[in-house]
Amino acid sequence: MATLSMVGVSVSGFHNHHFASSNSNIVTISSWKPVVAVLASKNKMSVPFELKQGQSRIFHELPSGLSMEVIVQKKKKKNVEGEEEKNSPLVFVHGSYHAAWCWAEHWFPFFSASGFDCYALSLLAQGESDAPDDSVAGTLETHARDIADFIHHKVQSPPILIGHSFGGLIIQYYISALGSDNHDEENRYPKLRGAILVCSVPPSGNSGLVWRYLFTKPIAAFKVTRSLAAKAFQTSLPLCRETFFSATMEDHIVKRYQELMKESSRLPLFDLRKLNASLPVPSVPNCPVDVLVLGAKDDFIVDAEGLNETAKFYGVTPVCVEAVAHDMMLDVSWEKGAEVILSWVNGLDK
């Protein structure tokens, strides 16, 4: 398989995206319009994620001129008549220290084989996306608007939005905007078919999680702080495993993901002080979308109380998957969470 290679260019007149397939080093730039575009430069991750068969990487140009990486895998499954399944597309949003690649490893092949078009975004300054000229990648609002802009321009029918960890908190902001009484705000965000919050930071943020750990699990609190705030997961294989994965994951696999995570974030997703000051996310009395709140029994970051807080906020019963850790989509038993999601999505139209 060829390693993806991007050519650094700055061209007047090209708009929307350039494309690279998993089977070629060729970069094709298309969609001519009379504007000046800022196109993505050479690979930003020195440890690239090699796309799997059937996957491609595009770059969506945002109104700011910055380009956002999107990994795509289209549906494979056809019905008994040989026609393509008409399922809602799935749009995936990662959390801190991750990028679009985390969904492409296992869940993209699973869901595309089940009849779903899959799109995974790398938020600004993450993965191969461009970075703003700032000390952080953005805010809940700017990240949600970037997602909305991509959906508006590239997704033809209302998608199911799936977010992990802090990506789940961004989706919660998106849902609040959809349910807003401010019609200008509501119109800025395309409608969704559903939303799935995977091991999500709760609506009040992560401060409650931290304080609970300090009083009930002080050793765990120290480890989480050292791992994430001090980025010790980047240099300690045991700590990386304990933070994100199950104890049974083999060293070489943990090492591969550790290297990808080290390269995935050039700027923090948020200014955490400003973020926590802005929370909780606005409540939605009449939630405009069906929501699945999905947690992991062995989650080292989001505890049961955090999972329950999110579920209560949306008036739903949480689903907690046994024997799975925080990075449910990459973990040893990644298929457990995928199967719960598939069952829930298939039940939306019933």
Side-chain angles (χ1 to χ4, degrees), residues 244-272:
F244 298 106
F245 309 113
S246 293
T248 55
M249 182 174 281
E250 296 178 22
D251 283 357
H252 73 279
I253 300 176
V254 178
K255 181 68 174 175
R256 175 168 173 258
Y257 294 152
Q258 181 188 47
E259 292 297 323
L260 285 165
M261 285 190 282
K262 276 198 288 190
E263 292 292 321
S264 288
S265 183
R266 301 189 304 287
L267 292 175
L269 283 179
F270 314 99
D271 179 320
L272 286 180

Side-chain angles (χ1 to χ4, degrees), residues 94-98 102-103 107 163-168 197-202 209 213 224 228 240-247 249 261 294-303 321 323-332:
H94 63 85
S96 295
Y97 304 116
H98 292 65
C102 71
W103 306 103
W107 281 15
H164 176 250
S165 200
F166 266 119
L197 308 175
V198 181
C199 300
S200 177
V201 173
L209 301 170
Y213 271 44
V224 169
L228 299 177
C240 184
R241 178 189 285 108
E242 189 171 10
T243 304
F244 298 106
F245 309 113
S246 293
M249 182 174 281
M261 285 190 282
L294 187 62
K297 182 70 173 176
D298 298 335
D299 196 328
F300 193 64
I301 298 173
V302 179
D303 62 5
V321 183
V324 175
H326 185 68
D327 270 21
M328 185 184 295
M329 64 286 190
L330 292 172
D331 207 14
V332 177

Side-chain angles (χ1 to χ4, degrees), residues 12-195:
S12 175
F14 290 105
H15 185 69
N16 279 343
H17 66 269
H18 50 289
F19 171 92
S21 78
S22 59
N23 300 315
S24 173
N25 283 333
I26 299 173
V27 177
T28 304
I29 304 175
S30 61
S31 300
W32 175 269
K33 290 186 180 180
V35 297
V36 175
V38 179
L39 303 182
S41 61
K42 64 180 181 180
N43 287 356
K44 296 171 175 63
M45 292 176 61
S46 62
V47 180
F49 176 80
E50 291 196 3
L51 301 178
K52 298 178 181 295
Q53 185 175 5
Q55 296 178 355
S56 59
R57 181 180 278 113
I58 66 173
F59 288 85
H60 172 67
E61 187 190 331
L62 297 166
S64 64
L66 297 176
S67 292
M68 186 166 63
E69 175 193 24
V70 186
I71 297 178
V72 181
Q73 186 163 2
K74 293 300 184 78
K75 69 187 83 172
K76 297 177 182 177
K77 191 175 179 180
K78 296 185 178 181
N79 59 26
V80 290
E81 288 80 25
E83 299 171 341
E84 285 192 346
E85 297 279 2
K86 295 181 179 179
N87 295 320
S88 299
L90 307 179
V91 177
F92 297 82
V93 182
H94 63 85
S96 295
Y97 304 116
H98 292 65
W101 62 266
C102 71
W103 306 103
E105 179 78 348
H106 297 302
W107 281 15
F108 264 32
F110 176 89
F111 285 109
S112 68
S114 300
F116 295 88
D117 288 341
C118 300
Y119 305 87
L121 314 181
S122 287
L123 300 169
L124 289 182
Q126 319 300 306
E128 296 295 337
S129 292
D130 289 340
D133 185 16
D134 204 341
S135 59
V136 295
T139 65
L140 280 181
E141 181 178 4
T142 62
H143 289 311
R145 285 189 180 182
D146 290 346
I147 295 166
D149 187 77
F150 168 76
I151 292 172
H152 176 71
H153 287 98
K154 296 294 196 297
V155 183
Q156 294 182 351
S157 58
I160 296 167
L161 204 49
I162 304 172
H164 176 250
S165 200
F166 266 119
L169 189 63
I170 295 168
I171 290 176
Q172 291 174 51
Y173 183 92
Y174 191 116
I175 295 170
S176 295
L178 274 181
S180 172
D181 292 331
N182 183 335
H183 293 298
D184 288 339
E185 187 77 353
E186 183 182 5
N187 293 335
R188 207 175 269 127
Y189 294 86
K191 291 183 179 179
L192 303 177
R193 182 65 188 88

Side-chain angles (χ1 to χ4, degrees), residues 140 169 172 176 202-205 275-283 309 313:
L140 280 181
L169 189 63
Q172 291 174 51
S176 295
S204 63
L275 173 67
N276 285 322
S278 72
L279 296 172
V281 295
S283 61
E309 178 195 327
F313 190 81

Side-chain angles (χ1 to χ4, degrees), residues 209-222:
L209 301 170
V210 172
W211 282 108
R212 281 196 297 275
Y213 271 44
L214 281 172
F215 286 107
T216 61
K217 302 176 183 176
I219 295 175
F222 171 77

